[in-house]
Amino acid sequence: MVLLPASIFSVLLWLLQPVPATGNPCCSFPCQNNGVCLTTGPSTYICDCSNLEFYGDYCQHPTLMKRVKSWLRPSSDTLHYLLVEPRLKWLWDLVNYVRPLHDFFMGTIYVMRADIIDSPPLYHSSHEYPNLETVFNLTVYSRILPPVPRECPTPMGVKGPKELPDIDLLIKKFFTRKKFLPDPIGSNVLFTFFAQHFTHMFFKTDFKGGPDAQWGGHGVDVSNIYGGDKETENRLRLFSGGKLKMQIMNGEEYPMTVAETGVKMTYPEYVKEEYQLAVGHPFFGLLPGLLVYSTIWMREHNRVCDILAAAHPEWDDERLFQTARLVILGETIKIVIEEYVQHLSNYNFKLTYSPELLFDRRFQYQNRISAEFNHLYHWHPLMPNTFNISGQEYAMHDFMFHPEVVFKHGLANVVDSMSRQRAGQMSHHNHGPSTINVLRWTLQHQRQLRLQSLNNYRKRFNLSPYTSFEELTGEKTMAGELEKLYEDVDAVEFYVGLLVEKRSYRAMFGNSIIEIGGPCSVKGLMANFINSPRYWRPSTFGGDVGFDLVKTATLEKLFCRNIKGKCPLVTFRVPDYDEQEDVETWDGRLGHEDL
């Protein structure tokens, strides 16, 4: 065997790179390891490897230090297995118990995850290259990868068909629910609505402006509770004692009505005026589960105001309101990290909300919401076909825009029922009829945004690209059908790939959602301003009394301290979940032919 010198090998590699017959030579995405492709003429380009741990014509060669790091670091699949394997729980129990060891791991997770996200962002949907608008135009989502150039031979660059598969065909073949598939790790409906209520404070697409336009604040700002603008906030406020307006209905506190506040909400005409309640997000009257969370957070705000007023009788309404809002923000992040993300990860390692672990590390306290993160978070398969509230079954059309369900059964009974009902699995063949239109819009929007292929995003997040459709799906039948439509696994669309991807061991979904969504989540949560050294101290939250509320917040306390009488079951996992059931489901994973 003749060994070629490195320089000759590089030239041969360059010659073998696929270059489109016409259009942009960067359509083949030749640059590796986050190198930037820069055209130098109609058919030539260079790969900019500056500030990377790689060099070479295509940024293909790792530096010595990078080789050492790669050798020491386990693959994402291996690391995931080590973190979720039940037989290793004893090891993570030890790590969780030894505080210095735990803090080392927790700080490392914060930094390693957040460092994957470009801050400030490099791209947005209107340009395929860095520009000033990317940083300063906050009315659009940022982009993790630039859009596929318009002049490319195929929608995915140079791979796949010249026209992408018909969307309705994709929906019928791969995504429509034939029978309800339950979430494999026991997630419940209370979890489903928490995800929706929480994420819609920063996923706020302005559909009138297009799928890249947004009207939110690019972060965790609790605007889902207080409103997205000052006018809404003022209409929700009581302007006394720092509190929000509430009314008594059936002996319980609920938000005031739209008629009484003038808050703009999205209710159909058939909803009675007394049930059209005013909350922080205009469409949170859509489902009773969203109303439950809005109500409980508004009650919590007023409870916090009472505690702060007792500690600071000298404070006026404005200071009580603003400080209570900071406490609510801190409580939200703590519950999200320590319970919501903990449940999502299914790790044996205990995640903690500890901003001080970043104080001696290089970290940027700023965040932008990306279009890809928004698309990745379309988790509508979690929704069941029907809702069982206190033994009464509600079809989706009897649940949507029917807030009276909450008043009929009472908040405690609704929470208890949602905690006991299994959510759906986030996968293919599991979109219910009520969410098909949302799925259709998502697929249309990703094409309008010209999102790159799933494999390109996997490479961006340091994951190995799939080499075959069977490797992507973990089975043969659906893999064959996808191959007929997409021709090349490198042409599989981002959201399509996320849904058809095989599920990871003891996880809610596939490896790509975990490894792409995780860094976006960690960056978005820990980059919040209240986690910075000058904010993260007692005086920000009204002293030790407010700081302790943040540090001790839990989902159960949130509900139990704001519901009179016996506390309902409050959990993100159904009580009858059997851990062995998940292992058996994963080992005998459902394939397309079983559906």
Side-chain angles (χ1 to χ4, degrees):
M1 181 177 178
V2 179
L3 297 177
L4 296 173
S7 59
I8 298 176
F9 179 78
S10 295
V11 172
L12 288 175
L13 185 62
W14 180 82
L15 291 171
L16 290 172
Q17 287 293 323
V19 178
T22 59
N24 192 328
C26 292
C27 287
S28 60
F29 305 110
C31 304
Q32 303 173 31
N33 301 304
N34 298 325
V36 176
C37 185
L38 179 67
T39 57
T40 57
S43 60
T44 57
Y45 62 87
I46 60 170
C47 291
D48 186 354
C49 312
S50 302
N51 307 320
L52 299 175
E53 294 181 291
F54 296 87
Y55 64 94
D57 291 338
Y58 315 104
C59 312
Q60 75 273 30
H61 299 305
T63 62
L64 178 60
M65 183 57 69
K66 181 62 178 178
R67 289 178 187 273
V68 173
K69 290 179 183 177
S70 299
W71 182 74
L72 292 174
R73 184 178 180 179
S75 70
S76 63
D77 285 332
T78 300
L79 187 59
H80 176 80
Y81 175 82
L82 293 174
L83 285 163
V84 302
E85 171 55 40
R87 290 173 295 183
L88 296 176
K89 188 176 183 299
W90 66 270
L91 175 62
W92 294 110
D93 285 344
L94 178 63
V95 171
N96 294 332
Y97 180 76
V98 181
R99 186 59 184 265
L101 189 59
H102 171 274
D103 286 353
F104 169 78
F105 276 102
M106 195 69 238
T108 301
I109 289 172
Y110 284 156
V111 173
M112 289 182 65
R113 288 297 207 187
D115 276 354
I116 296 175
I117 304 300
D118 291 325
S119 183
L122 285 172
Y123 308 105
H124 73 117
S125 295
S126 297
H127 299 89
E128 297 138 21
Y129 46 84
N131 62 91
L132 198 67
E133 194 173 340
T134 298
V135 178
F136 291 104
N137 185 358
L138 301 181
T139 66
V140 296
Y141 291 115
S142 67
R143 290 287 288 267
I144 294 169
L145 286 179
V148 177
R150 293 185 186 277
E151 60 271 24
C152 292
T154 74
M156 290 292 109
V158 298
K159 302 288 185 70
K162 292 183 182 289
E163 289 188 14
L164 290 170
D166 178 73
I167 287 177
D168 286 325
L169 175 64
L170 289 173
I171 291 173
K172 181 179 179 181
K173 254 186 179 307
F174 304 112
F175 303 126
T176 301
R177 179 179 287 163
K178 297 179 181 178
K179 66 177 182 181
F180 176 74
L181 303 176
D183 176 72
I185 69 168
S187 304
N188 60 24
V189 174
L190 191 69
F191 168 86
T192 300
F193 283 119
F194 185 94
Q196 191 173 25
H197 187 269
F198 165 68
T199 59
H200 275 80
M201 77 174 79
F202 47 82
F203 293 146
K204 293 180 174 178
T205 304
D206 180 5
F207 293 105
K208 293 181 180 178
D212 62 330
Q214 70 89 41
W215 55 280
H218 285 278
V220 181
D221 58 5
V222 289
S223 59
N224 56 337
I225 303 170
Y226 301 94
D229 54 66
K230 198 67 178 177
E231 180 184 356
T232 302
E233 176 188 301
N234 288 341
R235 290 179 181 276
L236 290 171
R237 287 180 62 175
L238 182 62
F239 287 103
S240 176
K243 294 186 176 182
L244 298 170
K245 295 175 181 175
M246 300 291 278
Q247 63 171 321
I248 303 298
M249 297 179 69
N250 297 336
E252 295 187 81
E253 279 192 317
Y254 287 101
M256 301 288 281
T257 66
V258 170
E260 293 168 312
T261 61
V263 171
K264 295 178 181 178
M265 295 288 292
T266 304
Y267 285 104
E269 292 182 358
Y270 64 77
V271 177
K272 293 182 179 180
E273 186 177 291
E274 62 264 34
Y275 296 141
Q276 294 186 24
L277 303 190
V279 297
H281 198 292
F283 81 72
F284 275 7
L286 171 68
L287 292 162
L290 299 176
L291 177 59
V292 164
Y293 275 107
S294 293
T295 300
I296 210 70
W297 276 118
M298 292 175 77
R299 291 182 186 178
E300 175 68 0
H301 172 93
N302 288 353
R303 188 184 77 87
V304 170
C305 283
D306 285 337
I307 294 171
L308 292 175
H312 299 281
E314 75 283 7
W315 281 8
D316 62 8
D317 167 76
E318 183 66 13
R319 185 157 190 182
L320 286 170
F321 172 80
Q322 296 296 349
T323 306
R325 186 171 178 171
L326 288 169
V327 171
I328 296 299
L329 174 59
E331 288 183 344
T332 296
I333 297 177
K334 184 174 188 295
I335 292 171
V336 169
I337 290 177
E338 297 192 0
E339 298 185 70
Y340 175 72
V341 177
Q342 182 77 62
H343 176 81
L344 281 173
S345 69
N346 208 23
Y347 290 166
N348 293 316
F349 176 73
K350 182 174 175 55
L351 302 176
T352 57
Y353 177 37
S354 306
E356 60 275 6
L357 297 180
L358 290 172
F359 290 172
D360 60 349
R361 300 174 185 249
R362 185 170 59 90
F363 192 79
Q364 290 185 313
Y365 293 94
Q366 58 174 308
N367 184 60
R368 287 287 295 278
I369 299 298
S370 69
E372 294 94 340
F373 189 36
N374 182 25
H375 277 245
L376 175 146
Y377 235 114
H378 282 68
W379 292 357
H380 297 88
L382 292 175
M383 283 290 179
N385 291 329
T386 61
F387 296 87
N388 188 315
I389 308 297
S390 302
Q392 184 171 344
E393 203 81 12
Y394 290 92
M396 181 61 82
H397 64 267
D398 293 324
F399 201 68
M400 292 177 64
F401 289 118
H402 283 279
E404 70 274 10
V405 170
V406 179
F407 310 127
K408 176 182 178 180
H409 296 278
L411 197 68
N413 288 329
V414 175
V415 171
D416 190 86
S417 297
M418 292 195 299
S419 294
R420 298 179 188 279
Q421 183 174 355
R422 194 79 162 258
Q425 181 175 348
M426 174 59 189
S427 71
H428 55 86
H429 293 92
N430 210 25
H431 264 85
S434 62
T435 64
I436 289 297
N437 279 337
V438 182
L439 171 62
R440 183 178 290 108
W441 296 334
T442 303
L443 296 175
Q444 290 170 347
H445 290 165
Q446 77 171 357
R447 293 181 181 184
Q448 288 177 251
L449 294 171
R450 309 193 320 275
L451 296 188
Q452 293 188 32
S453 68
L454 176 66
N455 261 351
N456 279 6
Y457 282 100
R458 286 183 61 82
K459 288 185 279 189
R460 167 63 181 81
F461 283 82
N462 307 314
L463 302 171
S464 298
Y466 289 116
T467 58
S468 69
F469 288 90
E470 190 171 335
E471 185 186 12
L472 166 65
T473 64
E475 49 79 87
K476 295 182 179 180
T477 305
M478 186 166 60
E481 293 177 347
L482 284 165
E483 187 166 12
K484 290 176 184 176
L485 295 173
Y486 285 100
E487 300 176 5
D488 191 307
V489 71
D490 284 335
V492 174
E493 298 172 88
F494 179 64
Y495 189 68
V496 172
L498 294 176
L499 285 180
V500 302
E501 183 179 35
K502 61 182 180 292
R503 184 170 76 92
S504 293
Y505 175 57
R506 292 179 54 76
M508 286 185 67
F509 21 55
N511 173 256
S512 296
I513 290 183
I514 296 169
E515 296 301 322
I516 298 173
C520 293
S521 297
V522 171
K523 176 61 176 174
L525 290 165
M526 297 312 298
N528 192 281
F529 71 93
I530 69 163
N531 299 323
S532 62
R534 299 285 289 187
Y535 272 90
W536 186 251
R537 48 189 181 183
S539 56
T540 298
F541 305 97
D544 287 337
V545 63
F547 210 20
D548 287 343
L549 288 174
V550 172
K551 290 183 173 182
T552 61
T554 67
L555 186 73
E556 187 174 53
K557 287 179 181 177
L558 172 66
F559 280 96
C560 294
R561 289 177 175 176
N562 292 289
I563 292 178
K564 293 179 181 179
K566 183 181 178 181
C567 186
L569 177 68
V570 180
T571 174
F572 282 150
R573 180 171 277 139
V574 291
D576 58 351
Y577 167 72
D578 181 4
E579 192 174 79
Q580 185 62 29
E581 174 189 348
D582 174 37
V583 178
E584 292 171 353
T585 302
W586 191 86
D587 288 342
R589 187 168 43 244
L590 287 174
H592 177 268
E593 61 272 12
D594 300 312
L595 298 173

